[in-house]
Amino acid sequence: MEKTIATAAKGRPREFCTAQALAAALGVFWSKGYEGASMADLTEAMGITKPSLYAAFGNKEALFHKALDLYEAEKLEYMRQALRQPTARGVAEHILRGAIDAQTSSCDPKGCLGVISMTACGAEAASIKADVMQRRASSHAALVERFEQAKRDGDLPDHVDIAGLTGYLFAMLQGMAVQAGSGATRADLERVVATGLMMWPGR
């Protein structure tokens, strides 16, 4: 487990687990968004002083980018698993049901960190939006390629607009994240998924 030595308020060295501190920061960003998370919120949750935060992670913006890395590695593993499903519909269902699990987890704030962060505004948040958009574009491209392969394999009809289908899936994910953040129950989200899959194109 990685440890970091930082200078505490009184000049004494302080050792803390960077992974645990980063996970705590992720929870703050996830529940409050980038702009809503104050340095006081972050240092309190992470259990470290402001000088320790700066020494280990850099400024608030750099900390958010590191938290986003952790979010993608831990919370979006189902996306990578989904791409390995044998059918296009299976890919979509795996992603949507994985999103339900993430959005209704009792361990984490509800919603999607990417969606929450895209609501940030102001000059300071410009790189945050750019990072979120770049990561989303990467996921979008991976799904487009997977669905194009499904069309080549005969799993999707020839007339299907792959870009439109991928956009439809992302719109569902984003809508579910917003609904989860507004208090939608697991049953509510499962009805959305069931309806969406009923409209999935097939032979």
Side-chain angles (χ1 to χ4, degrees):
M1 182 176 291
E2 183 183 357
K3 298 282 187 178
T4 294
I5 303 293
T7 302
K10 296 183 180 179
R12 291 179 283 106
R14 178 175 184 179
E15 184 180 81
F16 63 94
C17 173
T18 55
Q20 290 178 352
L22 188 57
L26 171 60
V28 175
F29 283 128
W30 201 347
S31 61
K32 298 191 174 209
Y34 177 72
E35 291 186 335
S38 69
M39 291 300 291
D41 293 330
L42 292 165
T43 53
E44 180 179 357
M46 297 165 78
I48 60 177
T49 62
K50 188 180 292 187
S52 296
L53 186 155
Y54 284 123
F57 301 105
N59 59 17
K60 178 183 174 183
E61 182 180 328
L63 176 63
F64 179 84
H65 289 298
K66 291 182 175 68
L68 196 55
D69 286 338
L70 179 63
Y71 172 74
E72 288 208 327
E74 294 189 353
K75 308 300 179 184
L76 302 184
E77 173 59 25
Y78 66 83
M79 178 69 81
R80 290 182 284 273
Q81 294 174 353
L83 293 172
R84 298 192 288 267
Q85 299 303 305
T87 66
R89 189 183 189 282
V91 170
E93 182 169 6
H94 194 93
I95 290 172
L96 292 168
R97 297 205 181 281
I100 289 178
D101 290 341
Q103 292 160 1
T104 60
S105 169
S106 61
C107 302
D108 299 309
K110 305 300 185 290
C112 169
L113 187 62
V115 172
I116 291 167
S117 303
M118 286 299 288
T119 62
C121 58
E124 184 186 19
S127 71
I128 298 298
K129 289 188 177 183
D131 191 12
V132 170
M133 290 177 68
Q134 181 178 9
R135 291 168 191 259
R136 182 176 298 161
S138 177
S139 296
H140 187 279
L143 278 171
V144 166
E145 173 52 34
R146 177 63 185 84
F147 292 155
E148 289 285 5
Q149 182 61 53
K151 182 185 281 192
R152 291 192 292 270
D153 293 342
D155 179 42
L156 284 173
D158 293 337
H159 68 270
V160 171
D161 175 3
I162 296 300
L165 184 65
T166 307
Y168 166 70
L169 180 57
F170 268 86
M172 285 190 64
L173 289 168
Q174 291 162 4
M176 288 166 59
V178 172
Q179 289 183 16
S182 300
T185 66
R186 185 181 186 93
D188 294 332
L189 298 177
E190 286 178 344
R191 281 195 293 272
V192 171
V193 169
T195 302
L197 290 174
M198 285 175 61
M199 295 185 285
W200 192 260
R203 289 288 182 183

